[in-house]
Amino acid sequence: MRLGTDPAQGLGTPSGTYHAPRMGVTLVLKSHTSPAGKAVVTSWLTRNHVRYTATRFSVAASASSARIERLLDVTLADYGHGKRSVYAATSAPVLPVQVASRLIGVLGLNDAPAVTTNVGVVPPTSISKSTSTRAATGSVSPSGAPVACSAASNYATYTESEPVGNTVRTMNTIGNYYGAGTLIGSGHDGTGKTVAVIEFSASTPSDVSAYDSCFGITDNYSVQQIDGGPTNGTPLEPDLDIEMIQTQAPGAKVISYEAPNTSTGNYDAVQAAVDNPAVSVISISWGQCESVYQSVANMMEPLYQQAAQQGQSIFVASGDYGSEGCYGYSTSNANQLAVEFPGSSPAVTAVGGVDTLSSGQNVVWNACGTSSVECSPSITSGNPGAFTGPGYGGASTGGVSSYESQPSWQVPVTGTYSGRAVPDISANANGNVIYYEGVWGDVYGTSAAAPLAAGLAADVEGSCASPTIAEKAAFTPAANQYGTLGNIAPSLYAAYRLNPATAALYDVTSGNNDFTRSVPG
């Protein structure tokens, strides 16, 4: 029985054959698979002399590439992809019917980049390195909230005064718009909580340490490498996520789950975070166009549902390509209305982007909305010289999913649509000051909004009673009755439905998120 689609789709022509003394594939089980059904899969692997490790929703198999080819009736080939070579099976795997009927799909037959980060950076230009990297020690305000040292605050002040007119603020200032300072000052700083960040590039401990020193924050983060850790990428995304969460929840622990940017790495990193009983909040600032990633999304969904059932909260950046969420991923539907996964999963809280003005008013974050031409593609590839409007490029992805049906808890707040509406909430996505690669810089994107929300969630959870160690280890229902928020989106919609005029929840109705100006209205 053939399972799934061609893993090499879109990679072009093979450049050669692929050989490896050992490689891994993950057989993702259907969520309702019984122990007997799982035994059918593992027995098949044993008969074929393939090592495996079984978890709740998957069976990870390991063997030589030649044995994997025979096992799954595929041919593995090398493909040129960007600046590096990747491997992929030239056709979908073929498995015995009794095995395939128990599976959603197979991961590991393609190591092409699986997801992209939803963040952009504006490196310092006019500011001298000696000024921007001054190792000043920060302080903690009388209320207990972090306060920026002069190096960070001066960077924000200088950058905002430049002719391009971008709004740039330190992340503690931004957090205070959402009540972080008040929470921390009341003793609700995330103490006793653990926040996980899912990353596909490696964080830089020296960057985080310098940032923490500036803000008077205790350096309380650790790294867990998954599948050998990331193989490429810059520390921009993980540094941002860790620094943002530590600013909004300085008492919380942060674990950075750092994996290769492959579908298998994505699955294994999320699974590791979800399976850790200490983790109550997860932040994900990476995504992929729904139509491109749908086969993998089907395999990831049980993990997000498991997290929700266990009382874990997952906050996902909605994306930075506006209403045309596939713009940066797919040429076939680049200018069509679309959203990203995993933000479209009903088991997570999707976080969009707004531009929080000094008045406290929020407008939709859309750096392309003030330009008379399409937002330049060179901006989205990291070229700050192609500036076209406030925010240096990008817009908050949002719209209606083409694959996930609208959950009952969104009706009638978002109107009646056939699909799940994205995002659920939004936070500032413009002008966040971070410490990155030894200098101060400012970043934009929904990648900054998701960890901000995750930090606030840790503060709120820290004000609740905590389950016992035994309850946490067992993920018992008793543990979910207190101490964690779980999938918070349904509760937020319910709260808004009961009291639409509440000061804590309101619609952002100013602006638009049309990224390419090709989808009127």
Side-chain angles (χ1 to χ4, degrees), residues 182-459:
T182 301
L183 282 168
I184 296 169
S186 301
H188 308 315
D189 64 354
T191 296
K193 297 299 172 181
T194 300
V195 182
V197 292
I198 306 300
E199 306 296 351
F200 302 101
S201 57
S203 58
T204 303
S206 59
D207 285 344
V208 177
S209 178
Y211 181 92
D212 289 348
S213 177
C214 171
F215 284 83
I217 298 171
T218 300
D219 194 348
N220 196 14
Y221 101 98
S222 60
V223 173
Q224 183 169 332
Q225 288 195 338
I226 305 297
D227 299 343
T231 56
N232 52 31
T234 73
L236 173 61
E237 183 62 61
D239 284 359
L240 165 63
D241 294 344
I242 295 162
E243 291 170 12
M244 175 66 84
I245 291 169
Q246 288 191 327
T247 304
Q248 312 309 335
K253 294 181 180 179
V254 180
I255 302 177
S256 183
Y257 290 87
E258 301 178 359
N261 187 359
T262 63
S263 297
T264 303
N266 187 8
Y267 186 93
D268 291 345
V270 173
Q271 182 175 55
V274 171
D275 285 346
N276 186 345
V279 171
S280 60
V281 181
I282 301 172
S283 180
I284 302 175
S285 288
W286 306 74
Q288 177 62 278
C289 164
E290 269 194 323
S291 60
V292 172
Y293 208 53
Q294 192 54 37
S295 61
V296 178
N298 292 337
M299 292 182 263
M300 297 292 300
E301 185 61 27
L303 294 179
Y304 303 129
Q305 293 175 357
Q306 177 187 347
Q309 292 166 1
Q310 293 171 172
Q312 294 166 310
S313 306
I314 302 181
F315 295 90
V316 176
S318 69
D320 291 356
Y321 292 112
S323 55
E324 302 87 341
C326 291
Y327 182 85
Y329 312 106
S330 171
T331 56
S332 62
N333 56 358
N335 293 327
Q336 297 176 7
L337 294 175
V339 297
E340 287 188 14
F341 184 88
S344 60
S345 167
V348 310
T349 300
V351 186
V354 292
D355 188 358
T356 303
L357 308 179
S358 57
S359 63
Q361 178 188 4
N362 288 289
V363 298
V364 177
W365 174 63
N366 187 350
C368 307
T370 58
S371 174
S372 60
V373 296
E374 176 183 321
C375 190
S376 172
S378 60
I379 295 178
T380 60
S381 63
N383 177 11
F387 175 81
T388 60
Y392 300 92
S396 177
T397 291
V400 179
S401 170
S402 298
Y403 298 91
E404 299 284 354
S405 59
Q406 185 180 40
S408 59
W409 41 266
Q410 280 197 322
V411 181
V413 176
T414 60
T416 302
Y417 304 109
S418 58
R420 187 222 194 298
V422 176
D424 300 304
I425 56 176
S426 295
N428 183 73
N430 195 22
N432 296 265
V433 175
I434 70 164
Y435 196 81
Y436 160 68
E437 292 191 332
V439 295
W440 292 103
D442 55 291
V443 298
Y444 59 85
T446 56
S447 273
L452 189 155
L456 292 174
D459 291 338

Side-chain angles (χ1 to χ4, degrees), residues 460-484:
V460 173
E461 287 190 351
S463 68
C464 304
S466 297
T468 66
I469 294 176
E471 287 172 337
K472 289 171 68 175
F475 284 120
T476 61
N480 296 336
Q481 293 173 6
Y482 55 107
T484 63

